[in-house]
Amino acid sequence: MDAGLFTANNVWMMLATALVFFMHTGFAFLEIGLTRQKNTINILFKNIFIITGGLLLYYAFGFNLMYPGFEDGDMGILKFSMDSFGIGAPEGGMTPDYADGGYTWWTDFLFQGMFAATAATIVSGAVAERIKIGSFMIFTVFYVGLVYPIVGAWKWGGGFLDSWGFYDFAGSTLVHSVGGWAALVAITLLGARIGKFGSDGKPKAIPGHNIPLATAGVLILWLGWFGFNGGSVLSADPELTSLVLVTTSLAAAAGGFGAFILSTILYKNLDLTMFLNGILGGLVGITAGADLMSPNEAIVIGFIAGLIIVLGVALIDKLKLDDPVGAVTVHLICGIWGTLAVGLFGNLAGGEQFLTQLYGVLIIGAFCIVTSGIILGVLKATLGLRVTKEEELEGLDIHEHGMDAYSDFRMNQH
């Protein structure tokens, strides 16, 4: 391979890695914008812990767990490669012989490491404003360190789902649903925030304190998705990379429109937060098949994801679950939709592919429910999951961190 092409491929993959890293800023902005001022430090602390702890965990164990080296026909449901703590580049890892000249081994590690932390960030938003930070950090260690890499190995590591023909280009299921299933289990075990449901059982809005910040977060996430999906081409292939960026953006735009139109019809108001979550739903929905779809198909997938957002948020409320940022609807329900859409649209569409996609969703869903249920259940029985009523009412910032995000906040309260 030409050295210039190898370098260009690797530079694109490093840029994509940086864009996925930047998504953590977007997640942080979105979460603090959609929640209350008194919990801002707490949410930022969790997000910083996830990216730092997640990267170190992926270095120590995750990368070796996720890519253990399957032989042909090896089912490898729980095959681990734990020969060594940490990572070291293999022979030829810095040459075009590695990954067909798409990138070096070091770039491979860092790109995949950025993905790993995203799964825990999804949970962070769903459990905001009421989870004990110590319990959340322990959960993150186990989920990012063990659960995510095992699921990733089944497809991206060449395991049994890969040999079945299950398709997930950039992680509608392997990243977003993995986080979404854990978020669903967590909010079920935690219970709703104080004041979320009235005595009549009807949900009440708990407005976020900074919608401009949440809007910035969504736009940053959209930008980051160019790396999330565009980098998943695993080279700078001109045709495929540009197609993926087009389908990703069109699905995002259509998702926003779908949510905006349906929420306006149902609720008779122009709800910005629905518009924003519709964009994210479209992005999650296209992620499984961004390289397989035509622009028209991407718009249909995104638009349906936007409709799912409005209906999903209503369903979560009806089930008396409390998800402050809509994470379960965005990442789990739209993640499932995007994964199944591979069997309905695009180059692989067909009944057999649809069933394979469905089996993959069900197997991964069962595994994530059981594992997150065990981790969170043990934490609930030992350390406890939820903060006290007093801590929740006064805010986690002052109780768990001894500081305020905005220095004049306490003074203005007195």
Side-chain angles (χ1 to χ4, degrees), residues 70-79 154 158-161 163-164:
F70 291 102
E71 290 81 33
D72 277 347
D74 181 356
M75 280 292 281
I77 291 182
L78 290 171
K79 179 171 181 179
W154 295 348
F160 75 102
L161 286 178
S163 61
W164 285 5

Side-chain angles (χ1 to χ4, degrees), residues 2 131 133 147 245 247 256 258 278 377:
D2 174 78
I131 197 166
I133 196 162
V147 178
L245 297 191
T247 56

Side-chain angles (χ1 to χ4, degrees), residues 124-189:
S124 168
V127 299
E129 304 201 288
R130 63 211 192 274
I131 197 166
K132 285 184 175 179
I133 196 162
S135 296
F136 178 79
M137 290 193 286
I138 294 167
F139 166 78
T140 298
V141 166
F142 284 102
Y143 211 66
V144 176
L146 283 173
V147 178
Y148 170 77
I150 290 169
V151 173
W154 295 348
K155 164 59 188 168
W156 291 338
F160 75 102
L161 286 178
D162 191 50
S163 61
W164 285 5
F166 176 76
Y167 199 84
D168 190 355
F169 173 64
S172 283
T173 283
L174 296 175
V175 178
H176 295 285
S177 288
V178 166
W181 287 116
L184 180 62
V185 171
I187 63 173
T188 304
L189 290 174

Side-chain angles (χ1 to χ4, degrees), residues 163-376:
S163 61
W164 285 5
F166 176 76
Y167 199 84
D168 190 355
F169 173 64
S172 283
T173 283
L174 296 175
V175 178
H176 295 285
S177 288
V178 166
W181 287 116
L184 180 62
V185 171
I187 63 173
T188 304
L189 290 174
L190 262 179
R193 290 169 293 172
I194 296 166
K196 174 64 184 173
F197 294 98
S199 52
D200 57 359
K202 289 198 171 143
K204 294 180 177 176
I206 300 179
H209 85 278
N210 196 328
I211 301 303
L213 206 55
T215 305
V218 169
L219 292 172
I220 289 169
L221 285 167
W222 187 343
L223 172 65
W225 238 283
F226 291 159
F228 200 88
N229 286 2
S232 294
V233 174
L234 304 181
S235 76
D237 180 289
E239 183 183 356
L240 205 50
T241 304
S242 51
L243 172 69
V244 165
L245 297 191
V246 167
T247 56
T248 298
S249 286
L250 288 174
F257 252 75
F260 148 55
I261 290 167
L262 185 57
S263 67
T264 304
I265 292 168
L266 292 180
Y267 305 119
K268 308 290 186 288
N269 69 331
L270 300 171
D271 186 335
L272 177 61
T273 58
M274 282 292 189
F275 207 161
L276 295 174
N277 267 339
I279 290 169
L280 296 179
L283 287 163
V284 172
I286 197 62
T287 291
D291 60 329
L292 302 173
M293 305 302 168
S294 69
N296 286 349
E297 289 167 323
I299 288 171
V300 173
I301 290 169
F303 189 82
I304 293 171
L307 304 181
I308 287 170
I309 289 292
V310 180
L311 300 173
V313 167
L315 175 66
I316 295 294
D317 279 346
K318 206 170 185 63
L319 295 172
K320 301 281 189 296
L321 296 171
D322 182 12
D323 180 355
V325 301
V328 172
T329 307
V330 169
H331 298 282
L332 174 57
I333 305 178
C334 288
I336 291 169
W337 158 241
T339 307
L340 297 178
V342 170
L344 299 171
F345 302 96
N347 301 345
L348 297 178
E352 193 175 332
Q353 185 66 41
F354 181 84
L355 287 175
T356 304
Q357 298 299 103
L358 180 62
Y359 296 148
V361 165
L362 294 174
I363 290 166
I364 290 169
F367 182 72
C368 291
I369 288 169
V370 169
T371 50
S372 61
I374 290 169
I375 299 165
L376 291 163

